Amino acid sequence: MSPTTDEIEVKDFVVNQKNGVKGLVDFLTLTTLPSPYIQPPQERFTSDKILFGSPVPVIDVSNWNDPHLAREICHAATKLGVFQIVNHGIAPAELKGVIAAARGFFELPAEERRRYWRGTSVSETAWLTTSFNPYKERVLEWRDFLKFEYLPQRHDFAATWPSVCKEQVIDHFKKIKPITEKILNILINNLNSVVDESNKETLMGTMRMNFNYYPKCPEPSLAIGTGRHSDINTITLLLQEHGVLSSLYARATEDGDKWINVPPIAGAIAVNIGDVLQILSNDRYRSVEHCVVVNKCCSRVSIPVFCGPVHDSVIEPLPGVLENNEMARYRKTVYSDYLKGFFGRPHDGKKTIESIKFP
């Protein structure tokens, strides 16, 4: 089916003219959802899909040396692939500060935001875009996001980041990194292995952060904020905005269509297991498929930090999980090739990891 004139005009304004969906809702008073955002029925998130009574684990990490803590983290990574941590050492005021910084960026004038649009950004390590892959998608997601790449080995990596949020972003990266290292140590030790110089680049050689912005949506039941997907990196630490409607849902089981809400909790950080950990663990850990819905009442921001391999890393099950003649379930894969597969198409569940699984 060919796109209509209205679809072409909306997409041109949002994507080619670099306004994003934030620019669209600021420019127009929308009472109905523009057609490029109307999801097909099978991709819409309906209330009958929500599984109640199975809360996402909330884990107190105030004592990282507690063996019970390690067991809780490994159990959550195995069963669901997502959990929340509290008492992690980042002050509530600092978390509120980075949320405010994200909102500050999206409240900038449109011409200032456009300076960071992907492909023409004034920064090599920060860029703005909309949806997920707007040039490949027939239907757009109701989201803009600003992405930052953390390269502390380069003294000028953040020189041209937006002044409204630069300090908060750098500080959040610095605070998240040691927490990530502690979680990965626990998870990798449980796989009869250790985190050391031989695998650190594969586990967390890159760190990136998103400022996700989800505007108010006139018809949220027809739209999606972020489509069904699993994170392709090793592990993601997500800060949700507290005090707004809950919007994040995780698939409860691999083979069903029931979803569990991951609610925003004051001071908490949600932890998602990514595809790389599922591959390294030979399916002992589960990369969680998740999605984000939108609402009519308010906008929302979220801030994930993605920790993953350097691009030339080779991803395959760890020797420690194959010690008892267990067969590898995944083909050896160069991470850069894995990235191309994921970013070369719209969000589509877990098809990227399925593509490298042995029959």
Side-chain angles (χ1 to χ4, degrees):
M1 184 182 297
S2 299
T4 64
T5 301
D6 285 348
E7 288 175 325
I8 293 170
E9 288 178 351
V10 169
K11 272 195 164 184
D12 181 64
F13 180 83
V14 170
V15 181
N16 297 330
Q17 295 182 40
K18 309 175 185 179
N19 288 293
V21 67
K22 175 66 162 64
L24 183 68
V25 298
D26 286 348
F27 184 70
L28 298 174
T29 302
L30 295 172
T31 56
T32 59
L33 188 67
S35 56
Y37 291 95
I38 298 176
Q39 295 288 329
Q42 69 273 17
E43 293 299 333
R44 297 173 195 171
F45 192 88
T46 51
S47 59
D48 61 297
K49 296 181 179 181
I50 301 173
L51 180 65
F52 296 99
S54 298
V56 171
V58 179
I59 302 174
D60 184 337
V61 297
S62 55
N63 181 6
W64 288 102
N65 297 318
D66 182 354
H68 179 65
L69 165 62
R71 288 193 294 271
E72 280 190 290
I73 286 176
C74 293
H75 180 76
T78 300
K79 294 299 181 182
L80 187 57
V82 61
F83 52 94
Q84 304 214 57
I85 59 172
V86 294
N87 297 323
H88 40 66
I90 305 180
E94 293 175 316
L95 298 178
K96 290 178 182 177
V98 72
I99 289 286
R103 283 204 168 271
F105 174 80
F106 284 101
E107 287 164 6
L108 290 173
E111 58 270 22
E112 181 63 20
R113 296 197 306 271
R114 283 191 206 104
R115 296 179 64 237
Y116 291 92
W117 197 262
R118 185 174 188 175
T120 57
S121 176
V122 297
S123 173
E124 291 182 11
T125 54
W127 46 263
L128 174 69
T129 192
T130 192
S131 190
F132 169 64
N133 194 342
Y135 299 101
K136 298 277 187 179
E137 294 160 317
R138 174 66 193 274
V139 183
L140 297 175
E141 298 176 353
W142 193 258
R143 170 185 72 140
D144 292 338
F145 65 95
L146 178 65
K147 184 177 288 292
F148 301 93
E149 186 172 12
Y150 187 54
L151 298 173
Q153 65 273 24
R154 284 174 43 180
H155 75 279
D156 62 344
F157 74 96
T160 51
W161 285 4
S163 59
V164 70
C165 59
K166 178 166 76 171
E167 180 181 332
Q168 292 87 348
V169 171
I170 294 172
D171 186 63
H172 194 56
F173 269 126
K174 289 178 178 177
K175 296 288 176 57
I176 285 289
K177 186 174 182 180
I179 297 171
T180 306
E181 289 173 341
K182 290 181 174 72
I183 296 171
L184 283 176
N185 272 312
I186 288 170
L187 292 171
I188 297 301
N189 286 346
N190 190 51
L191 301 176
N192 301 315
S193 190
V194 295
V195 179
D196 57 26
E197 292 307 313
S198 70
N199 59 20
K200 203 167 187 179
E201 290 287 277
T202 297
L203 291 167
M204 55 177 305
T206 60
M207 290 184 72
R208 295 179 173 87
M209 185 190 305
N210 277 11
F211 279 178
N212 292 327
Y213 183 82
Y214 303 94
K216 293 180 186 178
C217 182
E219 295 182 288
S221 64
L222 303 179
I224 198 76
T226 302
R228 300 176 301 106
H229 72 288
S230 56
D231 291 344
I232 56 168
N233 48 294
T234 309
I235 195 168
T236 303
L237 276 71
L238 170 73
L239 174 60
Q240 299 194 76
E241 186 174 19
H242 184 247
V244 299
L245 290 175
S246 191
S247 303
L248 175 63
Y249 290 86
R251 190 183 288 275
T253 60
E254 288 286 313
D255 55 357
D257 198 23
K258 290 294 185 180
W259 298 72
I260 298 172
N261 181 231
V262 186
I265 298 173
I269 293 173
V271 181
N272 290 356
I273 302 301
D275 287 358
V276 170
L277 263 181
Q278 180 168 329
I279 295 165
L280 294 177
S281 70
N282 211 36
D283 282 351
R284 282 164 175 76
Y285 299 142
R286 176 185 167 205
S287 67
V288 62
E289 187 176 347
H290 52 286
C291 66
V292 176
V293 300
V294 290
N295 67 76
K296 196 171 188 175
C297 303
C298 60
S299 61
R300 173 180 176 270
V301 299
S302 68
I303 302 174
V305 176
F306 306 99
C307 300
V310 295
H311 284 196
D312 60 357
S313 295
V314 176
I315 310 301
E316 60 183 327
L318 291 168
V321 300
L322 303 177
E323 285 179 348
N324 297 319
N325 297 318
E326 181 175 325
M327 296 294 292
R329 299 183 183 185
Y330 296 94
R331 298 194 308 272
K332 186 184 295 188
T333 304
V334 178
Y335 190 59
S336 58
D337 294 335
Y338 197 74
L339 290 171
K340 288 175 188 173
F342 181 74
F343 288 109
R345 54 182 178 237
H347 279 142
D348 56 2
K350 296 186 70 170
K351 288 186 179 177
T352 307
I353 193 170
E354 291 164 2
S355 72
I356 66 163
K357 196 164 192 173
F358 286 121

